[in-house]
Amino acid sequence: MAVATTLCVVLLLVDAAQCFSLNTRSFMTMSMSTSGKPKGCAAKPFERKNVAVIGGAGYLGGTIFGFLQRASTIHGTGIAGPTSLSPRCICATGAGSMSLNRILSKSFRLAYAGEDLVKLTNMQDVSAISKQLEWADAVILGTANQLQTAPVTGNTYETSPNQKTLELYLDTQSSRGTLDEDDTMTKDPIVQLQMFKNTIQACKEAAVGHVVVVQTPQTQDPQAFGKILDESGLKFTYIVSGSTMESVKDYTFYKGVQGNLNIEGLTIDKDGNSISSLLNNDDTGTDRTIAREDIAALSVQCLLSLDWDTSRYINVENGGQLTADTPARVDKEWCVNSDQLAMKLTSIQ
């Protein structure tokens, strides 16, 4: 009898140890949600929010769109899905739509955005952008983006034959993040500021609840962009990378978050700061690089985790390679190891 009892105890201990090992990730997630519950759209997942990406034709914008599209299919994120025609890409031409779908097909396992999820809009016309954003609860956009002159797609918003427009690629069209030497329009700070001002004004007119702004590498005068945000009255999250952005070769969402990110935040409303006063043209950051895909995932996680009624400045740097357990079912994740980002954002208001 004593031997049998001892054997039972041993078996129970072994079983408990195995359960602990298998559920370490779940335990960490539960601990995070208990000690730092999400304050963004994931706080009320049944109130699913519509999100638009300005410039989803660019590699960074397309990656953000892909993460949003995946998040919209997963319970608990609070991101609206196809039945609400969300997420939505706002671009200027059919070429932008094709560029987005190339990114989705490669990085998100044959994902696709049909015509109902891509709205072709004159990105130089505030009222046209505003009309497309009336449905949106939140918007993700960049500061200075690659611009290309392209013909207006037929039967959209053309007013004359052979009309030209500006296509906007969030960050750059190429995953390499490079620009042509003769790309003078993209490098023109006056043009970039006007495009950004148009979009922010459109967000304001459409009563968008929250905007996430990513400061892109080609931003020449961050304070000028910050001033536009300060004067808009919108609630926002402004993300600055203190590490040089690089793209991961042959990236798919299965690879997930790459870096052990150091994330610091400062509220604008409560601390009495303006975003323009916090931005520094001379901030070179660390010597490490940071994955563009990590910036994309962070942009989405900010909407899930952070209070939309608060404006904030976020500085992110790469603290080294992330070492974390890979979940058993990566197809059930909108971004593998996004829970690491959620935990790091719990300390930010």
Side-chain angles (χ1 to χ4, degrees), residues 56-59 62-63 99-108 173:
Y59 179 73
T63 305
S99 178
L100 167 64
N101 278 303
R102 281 194 294 269
I103 297 165
L104 295 179
S105 176
K106 180 179 179 181
S107 299
F108 294 90
Q173 182 179 13

Side-chain angles (χ1 to χ4, degrees), residues 36-69:
K37 294 181 179 179
K39 302 169 187 173
C41 58
K44 298 180 179 179
F46 293 106
E47 298 179 7
R48 298 167 75 87
K49 301 297 185 181
N50 297 319
V51 184
V53 180
I54 304 293
Y59 179 73
L60 179 58
T63 305
I64 291 171
F65 185 95
F67 283 141
L68 285 169
Q69 198 172 45

Side-chain angles (χ1 to χ4, degrees), residues 169-239:
Y169 299 89
L170 205 170
D171 191 15
T172 61
Q173 182 179 13
S174 168
S175 62
R176 296 187 300 273
T178 55
L179 298 173
D180 295 332
E181 291 184 5
D182 59 351
D183 194 349
T184 56
M185 189 171 298
T186 297
K187 298 174 183 177
D188 188 332
I190 296 177
V191 173
Q192 292 287 0
L193 274 174
Q194 188 60 53
M195 296 290 286
F196 183 76
K197 186 175 182 179
N198 289 348
T199 306
I200 293 299
Q201 181 62 32
C203 289
K204 183 176 180 180
E205 292 183 5
V208 171
H210 197 86
V211 295
V212 176
V213 178
V214 179
Q215 182 173 297
T216 59
Q218 55 268 22
T219 305
Q220 296 185 39
D221 186 2
Q223 291 180 335
F225 290 90
K227 185 177 180 182
I228 292 172
L229 268 179
D230 285 332
E231 295 174 350
S232 71
L234 291 168
K235 299 298 182 182
F236 61 85
T237 298
Y238 192 99
I239 299 174

Side-chain angles (χ1 to χ4, degrees), residues 312-330:
R312 62 188 62 82
Y313 163 89
I314 287 182
N315 181 274
V316 55
E317 295 181 354
N318 186 4
Q321 186 67 30
L322 177 66
T323 55
D325 296 332
T326 301
R329 292 288 304 275
V330 294

Side-chain angles (χ1 to χ4, degrees), residues 7-24 27:
L7 181 60
C8 288
V9 171
V10 170
L11 289 174
L12 285 172
L13 288 173
V14 170
D15 185 58
Q18 290 176 336
C19 289
F20 178 80
S21 176
L22 291 172
N23 293 304
T24 298
F27 175 77

Side-chain angles (χ1 to χ4, degrees), residues 71 74-75 79 109 158 166 320:
I74 296 175
H75 174 72
I79 300 293
R109 297 299 174 95
E158 73 275 22
L166 285 180

Side-chain angles (χ1 to χ4, degrees), residues 226-333:
K227 185 177 180 182
I228 292 172
L229 268 179
D230 285 332
E231 295 174 350
S232 71
L234 291 168
K235 299 298 182 182
F236 61 85
T237 298
Y238 192 99
I239 299 174
V240 176
S241 171
S243 304
T244 304
M245 288 191 201
E246 285 191 356
S247 302
V248 177
K249 184 178 180 181
D250 298 326
Y251 183 84
T252 72
F253 77 92
Y254 281 16
K255 294 185 178 181
V257 178
Q258 298 289 296
N260 182 20
L261 304 185
N262 297 323
I263 304 173
E264 297 180 348
L266 185 64
T267 57
I268 304 301
D269 300 339
K270 297 178 181 179
D271 297 339
N273 298 300
S274 65
I275 185 64
S276 56
S277 68
L278 296 174
L279 301 178
N280 188 340
N281 297 343
D282 301 322
D283 187 9
T284 56
T286 67
D287 294 332
R288 287 194 177 101
T289 60
I290 189 169
R292 275 186 173 80
E293 297 81 4
D294 286 0
I295 297 294
L298 178 61
S299 302
V300 175
Q301 190 64 57
C302 283
L303 287 179
L304 273 59
S305 296
L306 301 180
D307 186 357
W308 289 20
D309 291 328
T310 298
S311 292
R312 62 188 62 82
Y313 163 89
I314 287 182
N315 181 274
V316 55
E317 295 181 354
N318 186 4
Q321 186 67 30
L322 177 66
T323 55
D325 296 332
T326 301
R329 292 288 304 275
V330 294
D331 59 312
K332 298 296 184 181
E333 306 274 340

